[in-house]
């Protein structure tokens, strides 16, 4: 098996070890995770060191083990608490074993040691492998904490049943390391449905120069496109973000190429399509339809009072339509456009879908306050090309949602269309 074929290649997992007898299984767990290709960083409660040494875990993980909230030896140059940098790199936060005490602290959001602090700070999914006394596991308090964690999206592995003298099987023992690693692999597979896809997303306005200091622009903030890029990267895609003149930080794991004008954006997008390795292009950018034919090289001076001036505009290239035209009968890359409309949203979206020869149009009614340009939220209607020639486009209207949630919902809908492009049918159906 090559390194990249290992089930956990390039994954970073923080393993939290709490203080109980099952901590003696932690070295085997870490060894299996490393063997599966993961980068493993171990964090222990102080008392866990009575059951397993940090040196053992450092040896099997290949990284220093963190135990104290203020461990200066671990401090990164840019951080007073060096290990607080760890969770931002993590794909999963795994707590194994998780005692009843730790389950309670995680559920309540307490941060009274390094492990619980990092669990709070970490944006990665949480997987806990409880180990508890059978009576404690049945206790409503423990069950409430576990349910609360589940309700927040945490995953629970085990506990396994322990055979009693009475013959009853009572849950309590931590799952075997191999079972935990299998669940880790399944979880990470599920959380990266876009792994292996290369996507280009455009975001933001275009600025069309009138002179060196003035331009024709629009109210796009880039938030919708940046949210799509961040979510696609989080789901494992390789993302190129063509970013217009906006004041937004580059999402983690995304390659950013800045543009200013419609012509620059066209150059970036068409060159990327030409390279032939893109699986999808999403045009969220609000592209100018017209540009000044002859921008002045010097600042245009004020005219005499009342004297008018005019600027001649020429149409810009319709990039999305050009992409559709160049793709011809090919199905790859998937072409997704956005449509900003103030009236007849659905009718105009359907028209754009056909005219620009793309696969999906995401229509937004930009006249609704609190939605569309510059807003934190968006209300979109997804209009997909009919699966049968001559059929009607499939239409789905989503409620008003934060743009981050719109992005998640859109990738949920677009992923099947992307994976269809990689199916054998897509490869031969040309
Ligand atoms: O950036 P935000 O503040 O978060 O706002 C998001 C948004 C409202 C800008 C976004 O959701 C949106 O609707 N983007 C598309 C806006 C737009 O230009 O729509 P359009 O109907 O003019 O164009 C339709 C499609 O053709 C778009 O995908 C556009 O990128 C593309 N187009 C348009 C003109 C042109 N010359 N070339 C193009 O490729």
């Amino acid at each position: 098996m090559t390194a990249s074929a290992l089930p956990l290649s390039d994954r970073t997992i923080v393993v939290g070890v709490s203080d109980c007898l099952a901590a003696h299984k932690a070295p085997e767990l870490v060894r299996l995770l490393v063997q599966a290709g993961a980068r493993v960083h171990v964090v222990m409660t102080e008392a866990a060191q009575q059951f397993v040494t940090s040196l053992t875990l450092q040896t099997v993980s290949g990284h220093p083990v963190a135990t104290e909230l203020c461990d200066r030896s671990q401090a990164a140059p840019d951080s007073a608490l060096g290990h607080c940098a760890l969770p931002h790199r993590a794909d999963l936060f795994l707590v194994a074993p998780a005692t009843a005490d730790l389950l309670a602290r995680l559920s309540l959001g307490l941060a009274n040691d390094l492990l619980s602090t990092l669990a709070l700070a970490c944006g990665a999914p949480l997987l806990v492998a409880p180990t508890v006394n059978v009576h404690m596991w049945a206790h409503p308090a423990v069950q409430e904490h576990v349910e609360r964690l589940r309700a927040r999206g945490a995953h629970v592995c085990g506990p396994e049943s322990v055979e009693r003298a009475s013959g009853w099987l009572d849950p309590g023992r931590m799952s075997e390391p191999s079972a935990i690693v299998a669940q880790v692999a399944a979880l990470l597979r599920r959380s990266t449905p876009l792994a292996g896809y290369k996507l280009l997303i455009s975001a933001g306005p275009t600025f069309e120069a009138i002179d060196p200091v003035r331009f024709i622009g629009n109210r796009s903030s880039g938030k919708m496109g940046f949210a799509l890029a961040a979510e696609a990267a989080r789901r494992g895609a390789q993302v190129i973000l063509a970013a217009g003149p906006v004041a937004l930080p580059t999402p983690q794991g995304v390659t950013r190429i800045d543009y200013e004008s419609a012509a620059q954006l066209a150059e970036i997008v068409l060159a990327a399509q030409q390279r032939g390795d893109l699986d999808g292009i999403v045009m969220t950018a609000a592209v100018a339809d017209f540009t000044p034919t002859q921008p002045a090289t010097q600042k245009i001076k004020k005219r005499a009072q009342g004297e008018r001036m005019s600027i001649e505009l020429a149409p810009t290239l319709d990039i999305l339509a050009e992409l559709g035209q160049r793709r011809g009968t090919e199905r790859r890359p998937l072409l997704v456009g956005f449509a900003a409309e103030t009236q007849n949203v659905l009718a105009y979206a359907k028209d754009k879908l056909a005219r620009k020869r793309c696969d999906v149009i995401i229509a937004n009614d930009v006249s609704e306050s609190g939605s569309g340009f510059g807003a934190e939220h968006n209300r979109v209607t997804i209009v997909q090309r009919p699966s049968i020639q001559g059929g009607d486009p499939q239409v789905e209207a989503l409620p008003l949602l934060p743009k981050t949630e719109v992005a998640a919902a859109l990738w949920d809908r677009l992923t099947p269309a992307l994976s269809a492009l990689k199916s054998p049918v897509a490869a031969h159906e040309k």
Side-chain angles (χ1 to χ4, degrees):
M1 199 183 272
T2 62
S4 61
L6 291 171
L8 298 175
S9 292
D10 290 331
R11 297 319 193 102
T12 300
I13 299 170
V14 176
V15 177
V17 180
S18 67
D19 37 296
C20 62
L21 194 57
H24 78 272
K25 294 184 183 173
E28 172 65 356
L29 174 63
V30 171
R31 191 187 65 75
L32 290 176
L33 290 169
V34 171
Q35 201 175 52
R39 273 182 300 273
V40 179
H41 294 272
V42 179
V43 185
M44 305 172 78
T45 61
E46 273 190 76
Q49 294 173 88
Q50 294 173 18
F51 297 92
V52 58
T53 70
S54 55
L55 186 61
T56 307
L57 290 167
Q58 174 170 329
T59 308
V60 284
S61 68
H63 296 283
V65 171
T67 53
E68 291 170 40
L69 202 49
C70 286
D71 180 356
R72 287 171 214 285
S73 67
Q74 302 282 329
D78 59 344
S79 158
L81 295 175
H83 4 266
C84 282
L86 272 182
H88 301 299
R89 305 198 301 260
D91 294 297
L92 185 76
F93 198 97
L94 165 64
V95 183
T99 57
D101 171 70
L102 190 58
L103 290 169
R105 288 194 285 130
L106 293 174
S107 137
L108 294 172
L110 301 184
N112 47 3
D113 65 2
L114 180 64
L115 204 168
S116 52
T117 302
L118 292 189
L120 270 188
C122 183
L126 174 68
L127 171 63
V128 292
T131 178
V132 278
N133 169 295
V134 288
H135 302 297
M136 286 163 78
W137 181 248
H139 196 286
V142 174
Q143 286 302 311
E144 272 169 31
H145 288 309
V146 171
E147 279 321 305
R148 193 183 304 179
L149 287 169
R150 276 205 174 101
R152 271 193 227 131
H155 305 271
V156 182
C157 180
E160 300 291 311
S161 294
V162 183
E163 195 169 348
R164 303 276 116 206
S166 61
W168 286 102
L169 290 175
D170 291 323
R173 194 175 57 201
M174 185 179 92
S175 297
E176 286 307 314
S178 56
I180 298 174
V181 174
Q183 187 157 343
V184 167
L187 265 176
L188 290 179
R189 244 196 330 271
R190 235 183 298 150
S191 69
T192 55
L194 290 177
Y197 292 95
K198 187 168 180 182
L199 306 170
L200 185 144
I201 298 165
S202 70
T206 55
F207 285 180
E208 304 303 314
I210 296 170
D211 67 17
V213 297
R214 302 183 182 93
F215 58 81
I216 300 172
N218 63 65
R219 296 181 195 282
S220 169
S221 63
K223 287 176 192 161
M224 189 65 250
F226 274 59
L228 278 163
E231 185 61 24
R234 214 180 57 72
R235 294 179 181 214
Q238 188 184 341
V239 181
I240 301 169
L241 174 63
V246 295
L248 294 174
T250 309
Q252 209 181 351
V254 165
T255 304
R256 176 175 182 158
I257 306 175
D258 288 319
Y259 71 83
E260 196 168 282
S261 65
Q264 287 167 355
L265 175 60
E267 206 177 309
I268 295 166
V269 176
L270 296 176
Q273 186 197 26
Q274 181 95 36
R275 283 195 295 274
D277 59 351
L278 289 177
D279 297 296
I281 301 178
V282 182
M283 291 291 292
T284 317
V287 188
D289 290 320
F290 295 94
T291 188
T293 48
Q294 283 180 325
T297 52
Q298 303 299 328
K299 184 182 171 196
I300 301 170
K301 290 305 204 193
K302 205 170 179 178
R303 307 286 160 104
Q305 190 70 29
E307 189 186 339
R308 293 186 174 199
M309 77 164 284
S310 58
I311 301 167
E312 191 186 51
L313 301 176
T316 57
L317 175 73
D318 188 323
I319 306 165
L320 187 58
E322 181 68 19
L323 289 169
Q325 170 77 25
R326 290 189 184 189
R327 185 179 62 166
T329 55
E330 300 276 328
R331 292 175 59 186
R332 199 171 156 272
L334 190 80
L335 294 180
V336 181
F338 269 68
E341 306 293 352
T342 53
Q343 56 178 335
N344 303 327
V345 178
L346 192 54
Y348 285 140
K350 285 181 178 175
D351 173 62
K352 280 180 185 162
L353 185 75
R355 207 160 29 81
K356 303 199 182 203
R357 300 171 73 176
C358 49
D359 302 293
V360 186
I361 286 282
I362 315 293
N364 31 205
D365 183 346
V366 291
S367 65
E368 181 180 342
S369 85
S371 168
F373 283 95
E376 294 300 326
H377 291 68
N378 207 3
R379 185 194 297 278
V380 302
T381 301
I382 305 163
V383 186
Q384 298 212 42
R385 204 162 64 152
S387 42
I388 313 154
Q389 216 174 6
D392 281 333
Q394 298 161 35
V395 177
E396 183 187 5
L398 299 183
L400 183 69
L401 293 169
K403 282 178 178 167
T404 48
E405 286 178 36
V406 174
L410 290 181
W411 287 124
D412 286 347
R413 270 64 169 188
L414 295 174
T415 302
L418 280 166
S419 66
L421 298 184
K422 292 213 168 177
S423 71
V425 178
H428 295 114
E429 219 181 69
K430 285 180 179 172

